Amino acid sequence: MPRAVVYTEFGGPEVLTVVDIPSRAPAAGEIRVRVEAIGVNPIDAKLRSGLRPSGAISDPRRLGFDAAGVVVEAGDGVEGFRPGTPVALFGISGAYADEVTVAAASAALRPTAVSASQGAALGVPVGTAYQALRSLAAGPGDVLFISGGSGAVGRAAIQFAVRWGARVVATSSDRRAAAVAALGATPVRYGDGLLDRVRDAAPEGVTVALDAVGTDEALETSITLVADRGRIGTLVRGAQADDLDIQAWSGGSPHPLTEQQVRWRSEAMPVSLALLEAGAFAVEQGPVLPLAEAAEAHRLIQAGTDGKILLVP
């Protein structure tokens, strides 16, 4: 039988267990996928711990939004997917599994040149980065300040923004500065004196800012430097966004995504897959663990580690 990772109470990584699940045939508009790789995201750990509210648990709850694999079966009315088709899955429910049955709309064709590990690493990070930058209208002539340039979302945002003609200044640790620079951004060290370092790196001024870390210094620097607060966005401090008169799309924001923003998140997948196939987009691979070690994957993501953490069935 297929297996899945579940939890029955909120808590630390130890609440995660692996259980057998029934295989489900796809209904109309769905596909059944044999999973080859699963992307582990910080939001997964926040939901498991209860840090991100998600309602009371009445039945074993699955987790995970991103995966990649091969189609096993397609339901009625599904076009473009057949058994053997490589796919990347995004925005699904219960990705931590050997097998999933999901809406075909949550799948993107995965070029053969793109590995399952690469495809599974995309979903949440590229969708978030792409939608945030589109919402902020980042493009040619802009100077973009990104707080958190070395994380998965920050790395994706740097690559999209540079590709769209913006100049990027991004925070990182000294140890990760070279990795940020390799993507086309000017790295600046976070910590005391950040405002002055960003000013030195961008003497022409900053026109747009994206916060992916949520620290006070990140928001204060962004608000000080960007004249139009409508072009400042946070992915972490959503609960304070209205009071600060800035944009937010997650991280506790009370505002749901607009229909356009949902479309942008979906659009990010085929765009990123095509860029990966062309060698024009980079995904940083991190630790790879067996599905049965999901708890260890959550310990790693909470502690912080370089690269995208993956699970493999």
Side-chain angles (χ1 to χ4, degrees):
M1 294 181 70
R3 302 169 302 153
V5 176
V6 302
Y7 57 105
T8 57
E9 61 180 328
F10 298 116
E14 67 278 359
V15 303
L16 298 179
T17 60
V18 179
V19 299
D20 291 334
I21 58 171
S23 182
R24 183 171 72 82
E30 292 185 326
I31 56 175
R32 183 161 62 94
V33 176
R34 174 172 53 82
V35 175
E36 296 178 326
I38 302 146
V40 178
N41 294 294
I43 184 62
D44 302 344
K46 292 177 182 178
L47 289 167
R48 182 219 71 232
S49 68
L51 182 62
R52 179 68 61 85
S54 59
I57 300 175
S58 56
D59 297 302
R61 183 170 293 176
R62 292 173 59 176
L63 72 169
F65 298 100
D66 303 332
V70 176
V71 175
V72 175
E73 185 181 2
D76 292 342
V78 173
E79 297 182 359
F81 300 101
R82 62 183 182 183
T85 301
V87 292
L89 306 176
F90 58 97
I92 67 172
S93 178
Y96 288 26
D98 293 321
E99 179 183 288
V100 293
T101 300
V102 299
S106 298
L109 294 172
R110 177 166 55 87
T112 55
V114 177
S115 69
S117 294
Q118 289 175 310
L122 295 177
V124 168
V126 301
T128 301
Y130 189 96
Q131 170 264 306
L133 294 183
R134 289 301 193 200
S135 297
L136 294 169
D142 276 320
V143 177
L144 168 66
F145 170 54
I146 297 177
S147 302
S150 63
V153 174
R155 287 174 56 87
I158 290 170
Q159 292 176 86
F160 287 137
V162 169
R163 187 168 188 84
W164 298 343
R167 191 166 91 76
V168 181
V169 176
T171 64
S172 75
S173 65
D174 289 338
R175 184 178 63 83
R176 299 283 282 159
V180 168
L183 299 174
T186 300
V188 292
R189 179 174 51 82
Y190 52 74
D192 290 345
L194 176 63
L195 177 61
D196 289 337
R197 288 192 293 277
V198 176
R199 280 178 167 152
D200 289 342
E204 71 274 41
V206 174
T207 57
V208 59
L210 175 62
D211 164 43
V213 295
T215 61
D216 288 343
E217 69 170 6
L219 287 175
E220 290 167 3
T221 299
S222 299
I223 289 169
T224 300
L225 294 177
V226 179
D228 180 358
R229 291 203 181 188
R231 301 197 74 199
I232 301 172
T234 180
L235 301 172
V236 186
R237 299 277 289 274
Q240 291 83 45
D242 285 351
D243 291 340
L244 296 172
D245 199 25
I246 63 176
Q247 293 197 57
W249 314 278
S250 56
S253 171
H255 306 296
L257 296 177
T258 66
E259 291 183 3
Q260 177 61 74
Q261 288 167 345
V262 171
R263 286 195 293 271
W264 279 329
R265 291 207 173 188
S266 296
E267 182 180 298
M269 283 299 290
V271 168
S272 301
L273 287 164
L275 290 172
L276 270 171
E277 182 183 28
F281 194 86
V283 172
E284 185 181 29
Q285 300 281 305
V288 179
L289 294 88
L291 180 67
E293 295 183 19
E296 178 61 21
H298 276 218
R299 293 185 186 98
L300 289 173
I301 205 164
Q302 290 175 184
T305 187
D306 294 346
K308 184 71 176 183
I309 301 173
L310 298 173
L311 295 172
V312 291

